[in-house]
Amino acid sequence: MITTGKAIYSILSANTGVKTLVGKDKDNNYKIYPLIIPEGTVLPCIVYERSFVNQGTKEGTGMSDSTINITILAKSYKETIDLSEAVATALIGYRGGSIRSLILTSGAETYAEGAFIQALTFSIKSV
């Protein structure tokens, strides 16, 4: 669904654990960004992107299957793990609004350009 990205931001930015760990940027916004990390952002931060496929019916309604990729970047490995756990706690099993199911399907970790990185992939069913 087109609004799934907006819902992910709302869920994460409302979660006390995520807010505490990710902090705010110079504009006083939580460092949770769609698609790109603004230049000059101090780690840790979260960036997310989505893709979706709609399953319509003759009536024009149906389920939407979305994939949300959430990338967590921080200066220490422990920070990425702590933030990943907070993100997972906020999202796994969430139901509300148009979201009917939200599950963690995969994850990976790496290190690049001075940052520890956790990549989490979630599957979302929504109407």
Side-chain angles (χ1 to χ4, degrees), residues 4 6 13 16 27 40 42 54 69 72 78 92 96-97 120-121:
T4 303
K6 185 176 176 180
S13 65
T16 301
D27 296 323
V42 177
N54 281 330
N69 295 309
I72 297 161
K78 181 182 181 325
I92 293 173
L120 306 175
T121 301

Side-chain angles (χ1 to χ4, degrees), residues 3-102:
T3 60
T4 303
K6 185 176 176 180
I8 293 301
Y9 178 84
S10 294
I11 296 164
L12 294 178
S13 65
N15 181 276
T16 301
V18 173
K19 291 190 302 188
T20 300
L21 293 168
V22 80
K24 292 186 174 184
D25 61 19
K26 62 181 172 42
D27 296 323
N28 207 33
N29 297 311
Y30 291 106
K31 294 184 286 181
I32 303 168
Y33 305 110
L35 305 176
I36 62 168
I37 301 166
E39 192 170 323
T41 298
V42 177
L43 301 180
C45 68
I46 296 170
V47 64
Y48 62 93
E49 60 183 310
R50 72 168 169 81
S51 60
F52 69 95
V53 175
N54 281 330
Q55 300 171 5
T57 64
K58 284 195 257 182
E59 295 80 28
T61 59
M63 294 295 287
S64 176
D65 291 318
S66 298
T67 299
I68 299 287
N69 295 309
I70 296 179
T71 304
I72 297 161
L73 301 95
K75 292 182 181 181
S76 78
Y77 182 76
K78 181 182 181 325
E79 281 182 294
T80 62
I81 295 300
D82 292 345
L83 195 45
S84 293
E85 288 174 342
V87 166
T89 297
L91 295 179
I92 293 173
Y94 178 87
R95 289 181 61 109
S98 64
I99 296 174
R100 298 296 179 249
S101 91
L102 203 157

